[in-house]
């Protein structure tokens, strides 16, 4: 599955002022980026993905842009003619789109064509005015140019589609009047030559790469081999051998690789992992294709064997705020996750507006681009908290990252240091399942059930109200599918829903950040883990976390609904490699709060050991709140 994000990450190059502003972004397509050949032609290109798993690059500005691929004409293309080019776009605002064939970038066009009509999202087939006949041994550049006159959306800001394949010469960008090969930074252009007369051999397929595999000692696992076909016929079966740790296994498998150029498929091979932890190379060799013996070619892939596989607790951090009128979208997603995805750890970071009573600045600096926003294990940057980065729902992100096998196992516990409940003694246990380097640990306190306290002033009540733009939209208009549990949560904030007001009073917030090991300077104060840790090494780590909520936030904390979260982070990438969560407990001798309710709807006051405390003085709990008498 390819990740499709909205996050732009600046990448700087020193070739011109225009190129220095070049950025890469992954953009969600509204429909598959499907290329259909011109009549009687085959597609020829370096990368092609019908599931539109593409990134895009651009300068965030206006101007003339373009991309071209380098084509070394071989015997399969000798005498064939290029009839046109299929040009991929996510934007519909590109104008003056033209295609060309040339011997040198910026040189005289050997063939050219212009798009008639407006640009559509997806592939745009553009025929040459006169087809170009290729000759074996020559080198060509085939590409397209266009103009962006205005920028009002990310699809115009980043208009050049790129694929994941790193092929030299497969992404020559026209930028600020200059042309340069960026294929090593951004991958290959997915443009497709539309060709007649290709001479493709039958049964031509190879293993292009092998996905890295991680698993526990002696476990059954699937080694996914990526197939690349350049065949005149479809590939339906392959014979193979796989060598791992000195053992060789032979097998036959059914596969699906279409006929044509650079067609893709997958060969899944079931294997048993070695009985000793460590790093290995799996060597896969295709021995036959469609029942016909072929010249063996071996490709190696990385296999990491851990002491055992551990549970991954995926973390979703949400950027939100009560004055953010689109943030009920994020609230709905987080409520869904809270109820239906208990294996996921939520952290709602109220930093949109300091007027928010749950505002808390004691946290890591994350590169938020707007609210509502979310990050899943801090991988790939910001995504939509409801829709996620795959263009479906946040479940796809949670499933995708939740399936990654962690190299570290972690558990955590937390206890209030004393009856004031102002600080929590956190204790984490960490086990390294392979040799690891460069990790650190951080701690977070989150509060559930937070809402405007009873008896609050009108001013405070107003600060607790959640602004809500969705009150003016139906669920259909908002894009919430009420056939799903996620969509039902979204429907709550829409027109006619339970919380379908422009300002929602008494909304209950869960997983709210109320403290962490990051201070106001956004530096993690918890000690770093050992620089280099060996497989099987275990260590215990302790840290005292203070509740840093504002006075308004503290008044809403239900101290029996506070969680401690331990995050193990990669110090280089900043990604969360694993996490754990536990309910914060009271010190020994202080029991659970009673939930007994009087006839007036008030909970009976109890002391911290759970005894009814109608006459007690000191710290008692009433209505889920800590009260000092």
């Amino acid at each position: 599955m390819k990740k499709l994000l909205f996050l732009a990450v600046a990448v700087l190059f020193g070739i011109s002022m225009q190129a220095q502003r070049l950025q890469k972004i992954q953009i969600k397509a509204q429909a598959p980026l499907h290329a259909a050949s011109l009549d009687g032609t085959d597609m020829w290109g370096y990368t092609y993905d019908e599931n539109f798993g593409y990134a895009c690059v651009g300068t965030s500005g206006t101007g003339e842009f373009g991309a071209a691929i380098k084509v070394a004409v071989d015997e399969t293309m000798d005498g064939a003619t290029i009839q046109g080019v299929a040009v991929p776009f996510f934007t519909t605002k590109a104008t003056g789109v033209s295609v060309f064939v040339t011997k040198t970038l910026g040189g005289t066009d050997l063939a050219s064509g212009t798009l008639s009509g407006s640009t559509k999202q997806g592939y745009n087939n553009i025929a040459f005015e006169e087809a170009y006949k290729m000759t074996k041994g020559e080198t060509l550049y085939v590409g397209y140019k266009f103009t962006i006159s205005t920028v009002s959306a990310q699809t115009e800001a980043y208009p050049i589609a790129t694929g994941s394949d790193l092929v030299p010469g497969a992404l020559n960008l026209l930028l600020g009047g200059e042309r340069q090969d960026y294929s090593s930074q951004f991958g290959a252009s997915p443009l497709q030559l539309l060709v007649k007369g290709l001479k493709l051999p039958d049964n031509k397929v190879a293993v292009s790469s092998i996905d890295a595999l991680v698993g526990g000692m002696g476990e059954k696992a699937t080694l996914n081999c990526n197939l690349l076909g350049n065949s005149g016929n479809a590939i339906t079966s392959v014979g193979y051998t796989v060598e791992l740790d000195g053992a060789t296994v032979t097998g036959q498998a059914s596969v699906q690789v279409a006929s044509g150029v650079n067609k893709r498929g997958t060969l899944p091979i079931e294997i048993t992992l070695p009985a000793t932890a460590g790093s290995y190379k799996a060597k896969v060799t295709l021995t036959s294709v469609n029942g016909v013996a072929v010249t063996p070619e071996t490709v190696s892939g990385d296999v990491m064997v851990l002491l055992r596989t551990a549970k991954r607790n995926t973390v979703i951090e949400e950027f939100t705020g009560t004055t953010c009128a689109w943030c009920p979208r994020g609230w709905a997603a987080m409520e869904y996750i809270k109820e239906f995805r208990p294996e996921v750890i939520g952290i709602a970071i109220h930093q949109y507006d300091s007027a928010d009573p749950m505002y808390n600045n004691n946290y890591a600096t994350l590169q938020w681009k707007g609210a509502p926003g979310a990050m899943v294990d801090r991988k790939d940057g910001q995504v939509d908290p409801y829709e996620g980065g795959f263009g479906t729902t946040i479940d796809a992100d949670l499933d995708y990252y939740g399936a990654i096998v962690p190299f570290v196992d972690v558990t955590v516990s937390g206890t209030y240091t004393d009856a004031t409940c102002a600080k929590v003694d956190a204790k984490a246990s960490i086990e390294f399942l392979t040799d690891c380097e460069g990790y650190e640990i951080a701690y977070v306190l989150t509060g559930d059930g937070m809402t405007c306290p009873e008896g609050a002033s009108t001013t405070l009540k107003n600060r607790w109200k959640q602004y809500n733009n969705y009150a003016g939209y139906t669920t259909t208009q908002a894009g919430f599918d009420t056939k799903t549990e996620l969509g039902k949560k979204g429907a709550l904030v829409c027109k006619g829903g339970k919380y379908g007001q422009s300002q929602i009073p008494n909304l209950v917030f869960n997983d709210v950040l109320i403290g962490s090991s990051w201070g106001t300077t956004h530096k993690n104060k918890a000690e770093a883990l050992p620089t280099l840790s060996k497989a099987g090494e275990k260590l215990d780590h302790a840290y005292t976390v203070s509740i840093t909520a504002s006075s308004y936030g503290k008044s809403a904390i239900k101290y029996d609904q506070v969680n401690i979260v331990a995050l193990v982070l990669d110090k280089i990438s900043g990604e969360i490699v694993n996490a754990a969560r536990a309910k914060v407990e009271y010190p020994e001798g202080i029991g659970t709060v009673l939930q007994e309710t009087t006839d007036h709807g008030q909970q009976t006051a109890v002391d911290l050991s759970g005894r009814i405390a109608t006459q007690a003085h000191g710290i008692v709990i009433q209505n889920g709140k800590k009260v000092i008498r």
Side-chain angles (χ1 to χ4, degrees), residues 190 399 481 581:
D399 292 343
D481 181 3
R581 175 176 60 188

Side-chain angles (χ1 to χ4, degrees), residues 30 107 152 177 182 184 189 200 210 223 230 265 285 333 376 454 458 461 497 521 534 602-603:
Q30 300 300 317
S152 59
Y182 285 92
S184 63
S189 170
L200 296 178
I210 301 173
L223 189 68
N230 288 278
T285 304
V376 181
E454 292 182 14
T458 300
K461 286 180 180 178
T521 60
K534 294 293 185 181
Q602 296 291 313
Q603 291 177 4

Side-chain angles (χ1 to χ4, degrees), residues 144-168:
Y144 63 99
K145 296 184 292 185
F146 61 94
T147 298
I148 295 292
S149 299
T150 60
V151 175
S152 59
Q154 290 181 326
T155 51
E156 291 104 61
Y158 310 94
I160 303 172
T162 68
S164 58
D165 299 273
L166 300 178
V167 182

Side-chain angles (χ1 to χ4, degrees), residues 356-584:
D356 188 328
M358 292 168 284
Y359 180 82
N360 198 313
N361 195 38
N362 291 60
Y363 204 64
T365 299
L366 302 179
Q367 299 300 316
W368 299 112
K369 301 300 179 182
M375 293 188 187
V376 181
D377 284 342
R378 299 188 187 175
K379 295 178 182 288
D380 295 323
Q382 179 173 326
V383 301
D384 181 280
Y386 183 96
E387 189 176 72
F390 289 100
T392 53
T393 70
I394 192 65
D395 278 312
D397 299 65
L398 301 177
D399 292 343
Y400 181 80
Y401 292 119
I404 298 175
V405 179
F407 290 178
V408 176
D409 196 10
V410 58
T411 61
V412 71
S413 63
T415 306
Y416 291 114
T417 58
D418 54 39
T420 66
C421 301
K423 297 181 179 181
V424 173
D425 281 336
K427 294 181 180 179
S429 294
I430 301 138
E431 181 182 5
F432 299 94
L433 305 175
T434 186
D435 293 352
C436 296
E437 184 175 1
Y439 288 166
E440 66 177 320
I441 191 166
Y443 297 92
V444 183
L445 292 173
T446 61
D448 290 339
M450 295 181 66
T451 192
C452 183
E454 292 182 14
S457 67
T458 300
T459 300
L460 184 54
K461 286 180 180 178
N462 287 335
R463 291 181 69 172
W464 274 94
K465 289 179 179 178
Q466 175 65 59
Y467 287 42
N468 179 27
N469 281 346
Y470 288 96
Y473 295 87
T474 65
T475 55
T476 300
Q477 291 170 330
F480 298 144
D481 181 3
T482 54
K483 296 184 181 68
T484 67
E485 296 296 341
L486 176 60
K488 290 174 184 176
K489 294 295 185 185
L492 293 174
V493 300
C494 288
K495 183 188 297 185
K498 181 179 180 180
Y499 303 119
Q501 301 112 299
S502 60
Q503 294 184 35
I504 309 171
N506 302 319
L507 195 62
V508 176
F509 299 88
N510 292 311
D511 296 317
V512 178
L513 167 69
I514 60 174
S516 78
S517 58
W518 286 282
T520 54
T521 60
H522 314 297
K523 299 293 186 182
N524 182 21
K525 298 179 180 179
E527 295 178 1
L529 300 177
T531 301
L532 179 63
S533 301
K534 294 293 185 181
E537 183 178 348
K538 299 179 182 179
L539 62 88
D540 294 325
H541 191 274
Y543 184 81
T544 299
V545 191
S546 297
I547 291 179
T548 56
S550 68
S551 58
Y552 303 116
K554 286 180 179 177
S555 68
I557 294 175
K558 294 179 171 56
Y559 288 85
D560 60 334
Q561 297 185 46
V562 172
N563 293 305
I564 180 70
V565 177
L567 305 176
V568 180
L569 301 132
D570 186 312
K571 288 193 293 186
I572 302 300
S573 67
E575 295 177 357
I576 299 171
V577 298
N578 208 352
R581 175 176 60 188
K583 181 180 177 181
V584 174

